[in-house]
Amino acid sequence: MINELKKNCAIALVALSIGIIAGYFVSESLSKPTAIATNPAPATTAPAAQKLTRNELEQRYIKAVVRQGFRVDETNLNALTDKQLNDEVARLEAIFNPKITNSN
């Protein structure tokens, strides 16, 4: 009877250790990031936004400044480069609508 108890305890310990080892490997395999496909689909890029003309930028700038409650200084407006004007229009329009982004 005691020999049978020892035998059953030994079997239980072996089964437990096998389960622990198997659990460890399963846990490790699940914690690692999955492999990326060898032939991923080519990344699609959004078409570039159409560049605005200087006149359109100036009109949008004036509209945004007036909406802020300020007057437009024509001297400062003419001194801005196209990029500076575009950035300023994007900044002013983002104040009223944060979802709009201007990437010109």
Side-chain angles (χ1 to χ4, degrees):
M1 174 109 170
I2 292 183
N3 285 338
E4 190 175 318
L5 182 62
K6 288 180 182 179
K7 180 180 170 185
N8 286 340
C9 286
I11 291 173
L13 288 175
V14 169
L16 181 62
S17 56
I18 290 173
I20 289 171
I21 292 170
Y24 171 78
F25 284 113
V26 168
S27 173
E28 286 297 311
S29 68
L30 292 177
S31 67
K32 292 181 182 174
T34 57
I36 298 174
T38 57
N39 293 329
T44 57
T45 57
Q50 183 179 2
K51 280 215 171 246
L52 299 174
T53 64
R54 175 72 184 202
N55 191 33
E56 291 170 330
L57 282 172
E58 287 178 357
Q59 289 174 357
R60 286 176 66 179
Y61 176 79
I62 292 169
K63 182 180 175 184
V65 169
V66 170
R67 190 171 181 190
Q68 290 277 340
F70 298 108
R71 287 183 39 226
V72 177
D73 184 0
E74 293 290 330
T75 307
N76 289 341
L77 179 61
N78 293 333
L80 295 173
T81 66
D82 287 351
K83 180 173 179 354
Q84 290 171 331
L85 184 58
N86 185 52
D87 292 345
E88 190 64 16
V89 168
R91 185 185 70 80
L92 291 171
E93 288 179 345
I95 292 171
F96 290 104
N97 191 356
K99 294 181 182 178
I100 292 178
T101 57
N102 190 354
S103 60
N104 287 338

Coordinates of all heavy atoms in Angstrom, one line a residue:
M1 N 0.8 -1.2 0.0 CA 0.0 0.0 0.0 C 0.9 1.3 0.0 O 0.6 2.2 -0.7 CB -0.9 -0.1 1.2 CG -1.7 1.2 1.4 SD -3.4 0.8 1.0 CE -4.2 2.2 1.6
I2 N 1.9 1.3 0.8 CA 2.8 2.4 0.9 C 3.6 2.6 -0.4 O 3.8 3.7 -0.9 CB 3.8 2.3 2.1 CG1 2.9 2.4 3.4 CG2 4.8 3.4 2.0 CD1 3.7 2.4 4.6
N3 N 4.0 1.4 -1.0 CA 4.7 1.5 -2.3 C 3.8 2.1 -3.4 O 4.2 2.8 -4.3 CB 5.1 0.1 -2.7 CG 6.4 -0.3 -1.9 OD1 7.1 0.5 -1.4 ND2 6.6 -1.6 -1.9
E4 N 2.5 1.8 -3.3 CA 1.6 2.3 -4.3 C 1.4 3.8 -4.1 O 1.3 4.6 -5.1 CB 0.2 1.6 -4.2 CG -0.7 1.9 -5.4 CD -2.0 1.1 -5.3 OE1 -2.0 -0.1 -5.0 OE2 -3.1 1.7 -5.5
L5 N 1.3 4.2 -2.9 CA 1.2 5.7 -2.6 C 2.5 6.4 -3.1 O 2.3 7.5 -3.7 CB 1.0 5.9 -1.1 CG 0.9 7.3 -0.6 CD1 -0.4 7.9 -1.2 CD2 0.8 7.3 0.9
K6 N 3.6 5.9 -2.9 CA 4.9 6.5 -3.3 C 4.9 6.5 -4.9 O 5.3 7.6 -5.5 CB 6.1 5.7 -2.9 CG 6.4 5.8 -1.4 CD 7.6 5.0 -1.1 CE 8.0 5.1 0.4 NZ 9.1 4.3 0.8
K7 N 4.4 5.5 -5.5 CA 4.3 5.4 -7.0 C 3.4 6.5 -7.5 O 3.7 7.2 -8.4 CB 3.9 4.0 -7.4 CG 3.8 3.9 -8.9 CD 3.3 2.4 -9.2 CE 3.0 2.3 -10.7 NZ 2.4 1.0 -11.0
N8 N 2.2 6.6 -6.9 CA 1.2 7.7 -7.3 C 1.8 9.1 -7.1 O 1.5 10.0 -7.9 CB -0.1 7.5 -6.5 CG -0.8 6.2 -7.1 OD1 -0.6 5.8 -8.2 ND2 -1.7 5.7 -6.2
C9 N 2.5 9.3 -6.0 CA 3.1 10.6 -5.7 C 4.1 10.9 -6.7 O 4.2 12.1 -7.2 CB 3.7 10.7 -4.3 SG 2.5 10.8 -3.0
A10 N 4.9 10.0 -7.1 CA 6.0 10.2 -8.1 C 5.3 10.5 -9.5 O 5.8 11.4 -10.2 CB 6.9 8.9 -8.2
I11 N 4.3 9.8 -9.8 CA 3.6 10.1 -11.1 C 3.0 11.5 -11.1 O 3.1 12.2 -12.1 CB 2.5 9.0 -11.3 CG1 3.2 7.6 -11.6 CG2 1.6 9.4 -12.5 CD1 2.2 6.5 -11.7
A12 N 2.4 11.9 -9.9 CA 1.8 13.2 -9.8 C 2.9 14.3 -9.9 O 2.7 15.3 -10.6 CB 1.1 13.3 -8.5
L13 N 4.0 14.1 -9.3 CA 5.1 15.1 -9.4 C 5.6 15.2 -10.8 O 5.9 16.3 -11.3 CB 6.2 14.7 -8.4 CG 5.9 15.0 -6.9 CD1 7.1 14.5 -6.1 CD2 5.6 16.4 -6.7
V14 N 5.8 14.1 -11.5 CA 6.3 14.1 -12.9 C 5.3 14.8 -13.8 O 5.6 15.6 -14.6 CB 6.6 12.7 -13.4 CG1 6.8 12.6 -14.9 CG2 7.8 12.1 -12.7
A15 N 4.0 14.5 -13.6 CA 2.9 15.1 -14.4 C 2.9 16.6 -14.1 O 2.7 17.4 -15.0 CB 1.6 14.5 -14.1
L16 N 3.0 17.0 -12.8 CA 3.0 18.4 -12.5 C 4.2 19.1 -13.1 O 4.1 20.2 -13.6 CB 3.1 18.5 -10.9 CG 3.1 20.0 -10.4 CD1 1.8 20.7 -10.8 CD2 3.2 20.0 -8.9
S17 N 5.4 18.6 -13.1 CA 6.6 19.2 -13.7 C 6.4 19.3 -15.2 O 6.8 20.3 -15.8 CB 7.9 18.5 -13.3 OG 7.8 17.2 -13.6
I18 N 5.9 18.3 -15.8 CA 5.7 18.4 -17.3 C 4.6 19.5 -17.6 O 4.8 20.3 -18.5 CB 5.2 17.0 -17.8 CG1 6.3 16.0 -17.8 CG2 4.7 17.2 -19.3 CD1 5.9 14.6 -18.1
G19 N 3.6 19.6 -16.8 CA 2.6 20.7 -16.9 C 3.2 22.0 -16.8 O 2.9 23.0 -17.5
I20 N 4.1 22.2 -15.8 CA 4.7 23.5 -15.5 C 5.6 23.9 -16.7 O 5.6 25.0 -17.2 CB 5.6 23.4 -14.2 CG1 4.6 23.4 -13.0 CG2 6.5 24.6 -14.1 CD1 5.3 23.1 -11.7
I21 N 6.4 22.9 -17.2 CA 7.3 23.2 -18.3 C 6.5 23.5 -19.6 O 6.8 24.5 -20.3 CB 8.2 22.0 -18.6 CG1 9.2 21.8 -17.5 CG2 8.9 22.1 -19.9 CD1 10.0 20.5 -17.5
A22 N 5.4 22.8 -19.8 CA 4.5 23.1 -21.0 C 3.9 24.4 -20.8 O 3.8 25.2 -21.8 CB 3.5 22.0 -21.2
G23 N 3.4 24.8 -19.6 CA 2.8 26.1 -19.4 C 3.8 27.2 -19.6 O 3.4 28.3 -20.1
Y24 N 5.0 27.0 -19.2 CA 6.0 28.0 -19.4 C 6.2 28.3 -20.9 O 6.3 29.5 -21.3 CB 7.3 27.6 -18.8 CG 8.5 28.5 -19.1 CD1 8.6 29.8 -18.5 CD2 9.4 28.2 -20.1 CE1 9.7 30.6 -18.8 CE2 10.5 29.0 -20.4 CZ 10.6 30.2 -19.8 OH 11.6 31.1 -20.1
F25 N 6.4 27.3 -21.7 CA 6.6 27.5 -23.1 C 5.4 28.1 -23.8 O 5.5 29.0 -24.7 CB 7.0 26.2 -23.8 CG 8.4 25.8 -23.5 CD1 8.7 24.7 -22.7 CD2 9.5 26.6 -24.0 CE1 10.1 24.3 -22.5 CE2 10.8 26.2 -23.7 CZ 11.1 25.1 -22.9
V26 N 4.2 27.7 -23.4 CA 3.0 28.3 -24.0 C 2.9 29.8 -23.6 O 2.6 30.7 -24.4 CB 1.7 27.6 -23.5 CG1 0.5 28.3 -23.8 CG2 1.7 26.2 -24.1
S27 N 3.2 30.1 -22.4 CA 3.2 31.5 -21.9 C 4.2 32.3 -22.7 O 3.9 33.5 -23.1 CB 3.5 31.6 -20.4 OG 3.6 32.9 -20.0
E28 N 5.4 31.8 -22.9 CA 6.4 32.6 -23.6 C 6.1 32.8 -25.0 O 6.3 33.8 -25.6 CB 7.8 31.8 -23.5 CG 8.5 31.9 -22.1 CD 8.8 33.4 -21.8 OE1 9.4 34.1 -22.7 OE2 8.5 33.8 -20.7
S29 N 5.5 31.7 -25.7 CA 5.1 31.9 -27.1 C 4.0 32.9 -27.3 O 3.9 33.6 -28.3 CB 4.7 30.5 -27.7 OG 3.5 30.1 -27.1
L30 N 3.1 33.0 -26.3 CA 2.0 34.0 -26.4 C 2.5 35.4 -26.1 O 1.9 36.4 -26.5 CB 0.9 33.6 -25.4 CG 0.1 32.3 -25.8 CD1 -0.9 32.0 -24.7 CD2 -0.5 32.4 -27.2
S31 N 3.5 35.5 -25.3 CA 3.9 36.9 -24.9 C 4.8 37.5 -26.0 O 5.0 38.7 -26.0 CB 4.7 36.9 -23.6 OG 5.9 36.2 -23.7
K32 N 5.4 36.8 -26.9 CA 6.2 37.3 -28.0 C 5.3 37.8 -29.1 O 4.2 37.3 -29.3 CB 7.1 36.2 -28.5 CG 8.2 35.8 -27.5 CD 9.1 34.8 -28.1 CE 10.1 34.3 -27.1 NZ 10.9 33.3 -27.5
P33 N 5.7 38.9 -29.8 CA 4.9 39.4 -30.9 C 4.8 38.4 -32.0 O 5.8 37.6 -32.2 CB 5.6 40.7 -31.3 CG 7.0 40.6 -30.8 CD 6.9 39.7 -29.6
T34 N 3.7 38.4 -32.7 CA 3.5 37.5 -33.8 C 4.5 37.9 -35.0 O 4.8 39.1 -35.1 CB 2.1 37.4 -34.3 OG1 1.7 38.8 -34.7 CG2 1.2 37.0 -33.2
A35 N 4.8 36.9 -35.7 CA 5.7 37.2 -36.9 C 5.0 37.9 -38.0 O 3.8 37.7 -38.2 CB 6.2 35.8 -37.4
I36 N 5.7 38.8 -38.6 CA 5.1 39.6 -39.7 C 5.2 38.7 -41.0 O 6.1 38.0 -41.2 CB 5.9 40.9 -39.9 CG1 5.7 41.7 -38.6 CG2 5.3 41.7 -41.1 CD1 6.6 43.0 -38.6
A37 N 4.1 38.9 -41.8 CA 4.1 38.1 -43.0 C 5.3 38.4 -43.9 O 5.8 39.6 -43.9 CB 2.8 38.4 -43.8
T38 N 5.8 37.4 -44.6 CA 7.0 37.7 -45.4 C 6.8 38.6 -46.6 O 7.6 39.3 -47.1 CB 7.6 36.3 -45.9 OG1 6.5 35.7 -46.7 CG2 8.0 35.5 -44.8
N39 N 5.5 38.6 -47.2 CA 5.2 39.5 -48.3 C 4.1 40.4 -47.9 O 2.9 40.2 -48.3 CB 4.8 38.6 -49.5 CG 6.0 37.8 -50.1 OD1 7.1 38.3 -50.0 ND2 5.7 36.7 -50.6
P40 N 4.4 41.4 -47.1 CA 3.3 42.3 -46.7 C 2.8 43.1 -47.9 O 3.5 43.3 -48.8 CB 3.9 43.2 -45.6 CG 5.4 43.2 -46.0 CD 5.6 41.8 -46.6
A41 N 1.5 43.5 -47.8 CA 0.9 44.3 -48.9 C 1.6 45.7 -48.9 O 2.0 46.2 -47.9 CB -0.6 44.5 -48.6
P42 N 1.9 46.2 -50.1 CA 2.5 47.5 -50.1 C 1.7 48.6 -49.4 O 0.5 48.6 -49.5 CB 2.6 47.8 -51.6 CG 1.6 46.9 -52.3 CD 1.5 45.7 -51.4
A43 N 2.4 49.4 -48.7 CA 1.7 50.5 -48.0 C 1.1 51.5 -48.9 O 1.7 51.9 -49.9 CB 2.6 51.2 -47.0
T44 N -0.2 51.8 -48.7 CA -0.8 52.8 -49.6 C -0.7 54.2 -48.9 O -0.9 54.3 -47.7 CB -2.3 52.5 -49.8 OG1 -2.9 52.4 -48.5 CG2 -2.4 51.1 -50.5
T45 N -0.4 55.2 -49.7 CA -0.3 56.5 -49.1 C -1.4 57.3 -49.7 O -1.9 57.2 -50.8 CB 1.1 57.2 -49.5 OG1 1.2 57.2 -51.0 CG2 2.2 56.4 -49.0
A46 N -1.9 58.2 -48.8 CA -2.9 59.1 -49.2 C -2.4 60.1 -50.3 O -1.3 60.5 -50.2 CB -3.5 59.9 -48.0
P47 N -3.3 60.5 -51.2 CA -2.8 61.4 -52.2 C -2.5 62.7 -51.6 O -3.1 63.1 -50.6 CB -4.0 61.5 -53.2 CG -5.1 61.0 -52.4 CD -4.6 60.1 -51.4
A48 N -1.5 63.4 -52.1 CA -1.0 64.7 -51.5 C -2.2 65.7 -51.7 O -2.8 65.8 -52.7 CB 0.2 65.2 -52.2
A49 N -2.3 66.5 -50.6 CA -3.4 67.5 -50.6 C -3.0 68.6 -51.7 O -1.8 68.9 -51.9 CB -3.5 68.2 -49.3
Q50 N -4.0 69.1 -52.3 CA -3.7 70.1 -53.4 C -3.2 71.4 -52.7 O -3.7 71.9 -51.7 CB -5.0 70.4 -54.1 CG -4.8 71.4 -55.3 CD -6.1 71.6 -56.0 OE1 -7.1 71.0 -55.6 NE2 -6.1 72.4 -57.0
K51 N -2.1 71.9 -53.2 CA -1.5 73.1 -52.7 C -2.5 74.3 -53.0 O -3.0 74.4 -54.1 CB -0.2 73.4 -53.3 CG 0.9 72.6 -52.7 CD 2.2 73.5 -52.6 CE 3.2 72.8 -51.8 NZ 3.5 73.5 -50.6
L52 N -2.6 75.2 -52.0 CA -3.4 76.3 -52.2 C -2.6 77.5 -52.8 O -1.4 77.6 -52.6 CB -4.0 76.8 -50.9 CG -4.9 75.8 -50.1 CD1 -5.3 76.3 -48.8 CD2 -6.1 75.5 -50.9
T53 N -3.3 78.3 -53.6 CA -2.6 79.4 -54.2 C -2.4 80.5 -53.1 O -3.0 80.5 -52.0 CB -3.4 80.0 -55.3 OG1 -4.7 80.5 -54.8 CG2 -3.7 79.0 -56.4
R54 N -1.6 81.5 -53.4 CA -1.3 82.5 -52.4 C -2.6 83.3 -52.1 O -2.9 83.6 -51.0 CB -0.2 83.5 -53.0 CG 0.0 84.7 -52.2 CD 0.8 84.4 -50.9 NE 1.0 85.6 -50.1 CZ 1.9 85.7 -49.2 NH1 2.7 84.7 -49.0 NH2 2.0 86.8 -48.5
N55 N -3.4 83.5 -53.1 CA -4.7 84.3 -53.0 C -5.6 83.5 -52.1 O -6.3 84.1 -51.2 CB -5.3 84.5 -54.3 CG -6.5 85.5 -54.2 OD1 -6.4 86.4 -53.4 ND2 -7.5 85.3 -55.1
E56 N -5.7 82.2 -52.3 CA -6.6 81.4 -51.4 C -6.1 81.3 -50.0 O -6.9 81.4 -49.0 CB -6.7 79.9 -52.0 CG -7.4 79.8 -53.3 CD -7.2 78.4 -53.9 OE1 -6.2 77.8 -53.7 OE2 -8.2 78.0 -54.6
L57 N -4.8 81.3 -49.8 CA -4.2 81.3 -48.5 C -4.5 82.6 -47.8 O -4.9 82.7 -46.6 CB -2.7 81.1 -48.5 CG -2.2 79.6 -48.7 CD1 -0.7 79.6 -48.9 CD2 -2.6 78.8 -47.5
E58 N -4.4 83.7 -48.5 CA -4.7 85.0 -48.0 C -6.1 85.2 -47.6 O -6.5 85.7 -46.5 CB -4.3 86.1 -48.9 CG -2.8 86.3 -49.1 CD -2.4 87.4 -50.1 OE1 -3.3 88.0 -50.7 OE2 -1.2 87.6 -50.2
Q59 N -7.0 84.7 -48.4 CA -8.5 84.7 -48.1 C -8.8 83.9 -46.8 O -9.6 84.4 -46.0 CB -9.3 84.2 -49.3 CG -9.3 85.2 -50.4 CD -10.0 84.6 -51.7 OE1 -10.5 83.4 -51.6 NE2 -10.1 85.4 -52.7
R60 N -8.2 82.7 -46.7 CA -8.4 81.9 -45.5 C -7.8 82.5 -44.3 O -8.4 82.5 -43.2 CB -7.9 80.5 -45.8 CG -8.7 79.7 -46.7 CD -8.1 78.3 -47.0 NE -8.1 77.5 -45.8 CZ -7.7 76.2 -45.8 NH1 -7.3 75.7 -47.0 NH2 -7.7 75.5 -44.8
Y61 N -6.7 83.2 -44.4 CA -6.0 83.9 -43.3 C -6.9 85.0 -42.8 O -7.1 85.2 -41.6 CB -4.7 84.4 -43.7 CG -3.9 85.2 -42.7 CD1 -3.3 84.6 -41.6 CD2 -3.9 86.6 -42.7 CE1 -2.7 85.3 -40.6 CE2 -3.3 87.3 -41.8 CZ -2.6 86.7 -40.7 OH -2.0 87.4 -39.8
I62 N -7.4 85.8 -43.8 CA -8.2 87.0 -43.4 C -9.5 86.5 -42.7 O -9.9 87.0 -41.7 CB -8.5 87.8 -44.7 CG1 -7.3 88.5 -45.2 CG2 -9.6 88.8 -44.4 CD1 -7.4 89.1 -46.6
K63 N -10.1 85.5 -43.2 CA -11.3 84.9 -42.6 C -11.0 84.4 -41.2 O -11.8 84.7 -40.3 CB -11.8 83.8 -43.5 CG -13.1 83.2 -43.0 CD -13.6 82.0 -43.9 CE -14.8 81.3 -43.4 NZ -15.2 80.2 -44.2
A64 N -9.9 83.7 -41.0 CA -9.6 83.2 -39.7 C -9.3 84.3 -38.7 O -9.6 84.3 -37.5 CB -8.4 82.2 -39.8
V65 N -8.5 85.4 -39.2 CA -8.2 86.5 -38.3 C -9.4 87.3 -37.9 O -9.6 87.6 -36.7 CB -7.1 87.4 -38.9 CG1 -7.0 88.7 -38.2 CG2 -5.8 86.7 -39.1
V66 N -10.3 87.5 -38.8 CA -11.6 88.2 -38.5 C -12.4 87.4 -37.6 O -13.0 88.0 -36.7 CB -12.3 88.6 -39.8 CG1 -13.7 89.1 -39.6 CG2 -11.5 89.6 -40.7
R67 N -12.4 86.1 -37.8 CA -13.2 85.3 -36.9 C -12.7 85.3 -35.4 O -13.4 85.2 -34.5 CB -13.1 83.8 -37.4 CG -14.1 82.9 -36.7 CD -14.1 81.6 -37.4 NE -15.1 80.7 -36.7 CZ -15.2 79.4 -36.9 NH1 -14.4 78.8 -37.8 NH2 -16.0 78.7 -36.3
Q68 N -11.4 85.6 -35.3 CA -10.8 85.8 -34.0 C -11.1 87.1 -33.4 O -10.9 87.4 -32.2 CB -9.2 85.7 -34.1 CG -8.7 84.3 -34.4 CD -8.6 83.5 -33.1 OE1 -8.6 84.0 -32.0 NE2 -8.6 82.2 -33.3
G69 N -11.7 88.0 -34.2 CA -12.0 89.4 -33.7 C -10.9 90.4 -33.9 O -11.0 91.4 -33.2
F70 N -10.0 90.1 -34.7 CA -8.9 91.1 -35.0 C -8.9 91.7 -36.4 O -9.7 91.1 -37.3 CB -7.5 90.4 -34.8 CG -7.3 89.8 -33.4 CD1 -7.3 88.5 -33.2 CD2 -7.1 90.7 -32.4 CE1 -7.1 88.0 -31.9 CE2 -6.9 90.2 -31.1 CZ -6.9 88.9 -30.8
R71 N -8.2 92.7 -36.6 CA -8.1 93.3 -37.9 C -6.8 92.7 -38.6 O -5.8 92.4 -38.0 CB -7.9 94.8 -37.8 CG -9.2 95.5 -37.4 CD -9.0 97.1 -37.4 NE -8.2 97.5 -38.5 CZ -7.2 98.4 -38.3 NH1 -6.9 98.9 -37.2 NH2 -6.5 98.8 -39.4
V72 N -6.9 92.7 -39.9 CA -5.8 92.2 -40.7 C -4.8 93.3 -41.1 O -5.3 94.3 -41.6 CB -6.3 91.5 -42.0 CG1 -5.1 91.0 -42.9 CG2 -7.2 90.3 -41.6
D73 N -3.6 93.1 -40.8 CA -2.6 94.1 -41.2 C -2.0 93.7 -42.5 O -1.3 92.7 -42.6 CB -1.5 94.2 -40.1 CG -0.5 95.3 -40.4 OD1 -0.6 96.0 -41.4 OD2 0.5 95.4 -39.6
E74 N -2.3 94.4 -43.6 CA -1.8 94.0 -44.9 C -0.3 94.0 -45.1 O 0.2 93.2 -45.8 CB -2.4 95.0 -46.0 CG -3.9 95.0 -46.1 CD -4.4 93.7 -46.8 OE1 -3.7 93.1 -47.6 OE2 -5.5 93.2 -46.4
T75 N 0.4 94.8 -44.3 CA 1.8 94.8 -44.4 C 2.4 93.5 -43.8 O 3.3 92.9 -44.5 CB 2.4 96.0 -43.6 OG1 1.8 97.2 -44.0 CG2 3.9 96.1 -43.7
N76 N 1.9 93.1 -42.7 CA 2.3 91.8 -42.1 C 1.9 90.6 -43.0 O 2.7 89.7 -43.2 CB 1.8 91.6 -40.7 CG 2.4 92.6 -39.7 OD1 3.5 93.1 -40.0 ND2 1.7 92.7 -38.6
L77 N 0.8 90.7 -43.6 CA 0.3 89.7 -44.5 C 1.2 89.5 -45.7 O 1.6 88.4 -46.1 CB -1.1 89.9 -44.9 CG -1.8 88.9 -45.9 CD1 -1.9 87.6 -45.2 CD2 -3.2 89.4 -46.3
N78 N 1.6 90.6 -46.3 CA 2.5 90.6 -47.5 C 3.9 90.2 -47.1 O 4.6 89.7 -48.0 CB 2.5 92.0 -48.2 CG 1.2 92.3 -48.8 OD1 0.4 91.4 -49.1 ND2 0.9 93.6 -48.9
A79 N 4.3 90.4 -45.9 CA 5.7 90.0 -45.4 C 5.8 88.5 -45.2 O 6.9 88.0 -45.2 CB 6.0 90.7 -44.2
L80 N 4.7 87.8 -45.0 CA 4.8 86.3 -44.8 C 5.1 85.6 -46.0 O 4.6 85.9 -47.1 CB 3.4 85.8 -44.2 CG 3.0 86.4 -42.8 CD1 1.6 85.9 -42.5 CD2 4.0 85.9 -41.8
T81 N 5.9 84.6 -45.9 CA 6.1 83.7 -47.1 C 4.9 82.7 -47.2 O 4.1 82.7 -46.3 CB 7.4 82.8 -46.8 OG1 7.2 81.9 -45.7 CG2 8.6 83.7 -46.6
D82 N 4.9 82.0 -48.3 CA 3.8 81.1 -48.5 C 3.7 80.0 -47.4 O 2.6 79.7 -46.9 CB 3.9 80.4 -49.9 CG 3.5 81.3 -51.0 OD1 3.1 82.5 -50.7 OD2 3.7 80.9 -52.2
K83 N 4.9 79.5 -47.0 CA 4.9 78.5 -46.0 C 4.5 79.1 -44.6 O 3.7 78.4 -43.9 CB 6.3 77.9 -45.8 CG 6.3 76.8 -44.7 CD 7.6 76.1 -44.7 CE 7.8 75.0 -43.6 NZ 6.7 74.8 -42.7
Q84 N 4.9 80.3 -44.3 CA 4.5 80.9 -43.0 C 3.0 81.2 -43.0 O 2.4 80.9 -42.0 CB 5.3 82.2 -42.8 CG 6.8 82.0 -42.6 CD 7.5 83.3 -42.6 OE1 7.2 84.3 -43.3 NE2 8.6 83.4 -41.8
L85 N 2.5 81.6 -44.2 CA 1.1 81.9 -44.3 C 0.3 80.6 -44.1 O -0.7 80.6 -43.4 CB 0.8 82.6 -45.6 CG -0.6 83.1 -45.8 CD1 -1.1 84.0 -44.7 CD2 -0.8 83.7 -47.2
N86 N 0.7 79.6 -44.8 CA 0.1 78.3 -44.7 C 0.1 77.8 -43.2 O -1.0 77.3 -42.8 CB 0.7 77.3 -45.6 CG 0.0 76.0 -45.7 OD1 -1.2 76.0 -45.9 ND2 0.7 74.9 -45.4
D87 N 1.2 77.9 -42.6 CA 1.3 77.4 -41.2 C 0.4 78.3 -40.3 O -0.3 77.7 -39.4 CB 2.7 77.5 -40.7 CG 3.6 76.5 -41.4 OD1 3.1 75.6 -42.0 OD2 4.9 76.7 -41.3
E88 N 0.3 79.6 -40.5 CA -0.5 80.5 -39.7 C -2.0 80.2 -39.9 O -2.8 80.2 -39.0 CB -0.2 81.9 -40.0 CG -0.8 82.9 -39.1 CD -0.3 82.8 -37.6 OE1 0.7 82.1 -37.4 OE2 -1.0 83.3 -36.8
V89 N -2.4 79.9 -41.2 CA -3.8 79.6 -41.5 C -4.1 78.3 -40.8 O -5.2 78.2 -40.2 CB -4.0 79.4 -43.0 CG1 -5.3 78.8 -43.3 CG2 -3.9 80.8 -43.7
A90 N -3.3 77.3 -40.8 CA -3.5 76.0 -40.2 C -3.7 76.2 -38.7 O -4.5 75.6 -38.1 CB -2.4 75.0 -40.5
R91 N -2.8 77.0 -38.1 CA -2.9 77.2 -36.6 C -4.2 77.9 -36.2 O -4.8 77.5 -35.3 CB -1.7 78.1 -36.2 CG -1.6 78.3 -34.7 CD -0.5 79.2 -34.3 NE -0.7 80.6 -34.7 CZ -1.5 81.4 -34.0 NH1 -2.1 81.1 -32.9 NH2 -1.7 82.7 -34.5
L92 N -4.5 79.0 -37.0 CA -5.8 79.7 -36.7 C -7.0 78.9 -36.9 O -8.0 78.9 -36.1 CB -5.8 81.0 -37.5 CG -4.8 82.1 -37.2 CD1 -4.9 83.2 -38.2 CD2 -5.1 82.6 -35.8
E93 N -7.0 78.1 -38.0 CA -8.2 77.2 -38.2 C -8.3 76.1 -37.2 O -9.4 75.7 -36.9 CB -8.2 76.7 -39.6 CG -8.4 77.8 -40.7 CD -8.4 77.2 -42.1 OE1 -7.9 76.1 -42.3 OE2 -8.9 78.0 -43.0
A94 N -7.2 75.6 -36.7 CA -7.2 74.6 -35.7 C -7.8 75.0 -34.4 O -8.3 74.2 -33.6 CB -5.8 74.0 -35.5
I95 N -7.7 76.3 -34.1 CA -8.3 76.9 -32.9 C -9.8 76.6 -32.8 O -10.3 76.3 -31.8 CB -7.9 78.4 -32.7 CG1 -6.5 78.6 -32.5 CG2 -8.8 79.0 -31.6 CD1 -6.0 80.0 -32.6
F96 N -10.4 76.8 -34.0 CA -11.9 76.7 -34.0 C -12.3 75.2 -34.3 O -13.4 74.8 -34.0 CB -12.5 77.6 -35.1 CG -12.4 79.0 -34.6 CD1 -11.5 79.9 -35.2 CD2 -13.3 79.5 -33.6 CE1 -11.4 81.2 -34.7 CE2 -13.2 80.8 -33.2 CZ -12.3 81.7 -33.8
N97 N -11.5 74.5 -35.0 CA -11.8 73.1 -35.4 C -10.6 72.3 -35.3 O -9.8 72.1 -36.2 CB -12.4 73.0 -36.8 CG -13.0 71.7 -37.1 OD1 -12.9 70.8 -36.3 ND2 -13.6 71.5 -38.2
P98 N -10.3 71.7 -34.1 CA -9.1 70.9 -33.9 C -8.9 69.7 -34.8 O -7.8 69.2 -35.0 CB -9.1 70.5 -32.4 CG -10.2 71.3 -31.8 CD -11.1 71.8 -32.9
K99 N -10.0 69.3 -35.4 CA -9.9 68.1 -36.3 C -9.4 68.4 -37.6 O -8.9 67.5 -38.3 CB -11.3 67.5 -36.4 CG -11.9 66.9 -35.2 CD -13.2 66.3 -35.4 CE -13.8 65.8 -34.0 NZ -15.1 65.2 -34.2
I100 N -9.3 69.7 -38.0 CA -8.8 70.1 -39.3 C -7.3 70.2 -39.2 O -6.8 70.8 -38.3 CB -9.4 71.4 -39.8 CG1 -10.9 71.2 -40.1 CG2 -8.7 71.9 -41.0 CD1 -11.5 72.5 -40.5
T101 N -6.6 69.5 -40.1 CA -5.2 69.7 -40.2 C -4.8 70.1 -41.6 O -5.4 69.6 -42.6 CB -4.4 68.4 -39.8 OG1 -4.8 67.4 -40.7 CG2 -4.7 68.0 -38.4
N102 N -3.9 70.9 -41.7 CA -3.4 71.4 -43.1 C -2.0 71.0 -43.3 O -1.1 71.5 -42.6 CB -3.6 73.0 -43.1 CG -3.4 73.5 -44.5 OD1 -3.1 72.7 -45.4 ND2 -3.7 74.8 -44.7
S103 N -1.7 70.2 -44.2 CA -0.4 69.6 -44.4 C 0.3 70.2 -45.7 O 1.1 69.6 -46.2 CB -0.4 68.1 -44.4 OG -1.2 67.7 -45.5
N104 N -0.2 71.3 -46.1 CA 0.4 71.9 -47.4 C 1.8 72.4 -47.0 O 2.1 73.0 -46.1 CB -0.4 73.0 -48.0 CG -1.7 72.4 -48.6 OD1 -1.6 71.2 -49.0 ND2 -2.7 73.1 -48.8

